[in-house]
Amino acid sequence: QQQVKQSPQSLIVQKGGISIINCAYENTAFDYFPWYQQFPGKGPALLIAIRPDVSEKKEGRFTISFNKSAKQFSLHIMDSQPGDSATYFCAASKGDYKLSFGAGTTVTVRA
Amino acid sequence: DTAVSQTPKYLVTQMGNDKSIKCEQNLGHDTMYWYKQDSKKFLKIMFSYNNKELIINETVPNRFSPKSPDKAHLNLHINSLELGDSAVYFCASSQIDEQYFGPGTRLTVT
């Protein structure tokens, strides 16, 4: 059973727009929530990660928002660029080396 | 100076054959992993080794056997390949939580 549910499956955004991807989890033991970016033919690359003691983390144009009470977290891509077109995966872990991944979101940024 | 490398990048073989995929990391990490990514891009962990000791062994057919000769290497051997084994296999490594993935090996079983 999938421990992390990710939506939407795909999204299209115009250049300069905001992309938002949402993830939800059930296991309250999870304490590490990374996002990975994967380009076609490449391995997933760690983009940004958050722990439950903060509600938001920003790195450049990428922001994670975390809502512990709702057991949800989201990735916001500000000022989306064509080079951001990729598949994004959320994941969660409870410190046991095991990452549970969401199903992925394919983001297409139109120029 | 690739951090996590895998060979081969592509592997095409027939049903029933045995094949191996090799992985090496030069990050000095203690933990290495094998993941399978299916045609729908879903990523699932298969195995994990910490300092050459198996710590994660998900429900994977015993035709799959990982081997870690040392901390920097983790190989995956697959016996009696089946059509359903066709997928992209990723190696990864980590020190604690942050996992770094290799470029993947696309296995096609015909």
Side-chain angles (χ1 to χ4, degrees):
Chain A
Q1 70 284 14
Q2 210 168 327
Q3 298 201 51
V4 181
K5 295 201 168 117
Q6 183 172 347
S7 63
Q9 188 174 349
S10 63
L11 68 92
I12 299 172
V13 63
Q14 291 296 119
K15 180 181 173 183
I18 302 173
S19 304
I20 302 174
I21 307 169
N22 300 301
C23 286
Y25 64 96
E26 285 300 322
N27 192 338
T28 54
F30 286 147
D31 62 359
Y32 174 70
F33 302 88
W35 285 88
Y36 282 81
Q37 179 188 55
Q38 185 179 25
F39 293 107
K42 305 289 185 186
L46 181 63
L47 191 61
I48 186 173
I50 199 168
R51 294 196 183 272
D53 52 345
V54 297
S55 59
E56 187 174 281
K57 184 173 180 180
K58 184 176 180 179
E59 287 185 6
R61 295 184 294 107
F62 299 90
T63 300
I64 300 179
S65 297
F66 186 83
N67 186 329
K68 189 174 180 179
S69 60
K71 292 186 283 187
Q72 294 175 347
F73 58 111
S74 60
L75 177 70
H76 295 231
I77 307 173
M78 313 301 283
D79 186 27
S80 297
Q81 299 297 311
D84 297 332
S85 296
T87 300
Y88 293 82
F89 294 93
C90 62
S93 170
K94 50 185 165 121
D96 58 353
Y97 298 100
K98 197 184 295 187
L99 272 179
S100 295
F101 281 88
T105 297
T106 301
V107 173
T108 303
V109 182
R110 294 254 165 92
Chain B
D1 58 341
T2 306
V4 182
S5 58
Q6 295 177 229
T7 54
K9 185 157 176 66
Y10 300 98
L11 192 49
V12 181
T13 188
Q14 291 185 325
M15 282 174 53
N17 284 349
D18 303 338
K19 290 293 177 186
S20 291
I21 308 171
K22 296 188 175 182
C23 177
E24 176 180 2
Q25 56 98 0
N26 62 7
L27 297 168
H29 289 164
D30 289 335
T31 310
M32 296 185 72
Y33 311 78
W34 279 112
Y35 284 86
K36 179 180 180 181
Q37 186 171 48
D38 62 23
S39 57
K40 295 183 179 175
K41 296 188 183 176
F42 188 68
L43 273 163
K44 191 168 187 328
I45 190 165
M46 301 172 68
F47 303 103
S48 177
Y49 272 76
N50 180 268
N51 276 318
K52 301 196 300 175
E53 181 183 340
L54 183 67
I55 57 171
I56 296 174
N57 185 352
E58 291 295 279
T59 49
V60 176
N62 57 16
R63 298 182 294 104
F64 290 78
S65 52
K67 281 192 172 55
S68 181
D70 56 57
K71 252 177 45 168
H73 295 85
L74 180 62
N75 303 323
L76 183 66
H77 188 75
I78 315 169
N79 289 327
S80 303
L81 277 154
E82 300 177 357
L83 292 175
D85 298 332
S86 294
V88 181
Y89 292 84
F90 287 102
C91 176
S93 74
S94 75
Q95 190 56 27
I96 308 175
D97 288 317
E98 295 184 4
Q99 294 190 18
Y100 295 87
F101 284 75
T105 296
R106 181 174 292 278
L107 172 65
T108 303
V109 182
T110 61

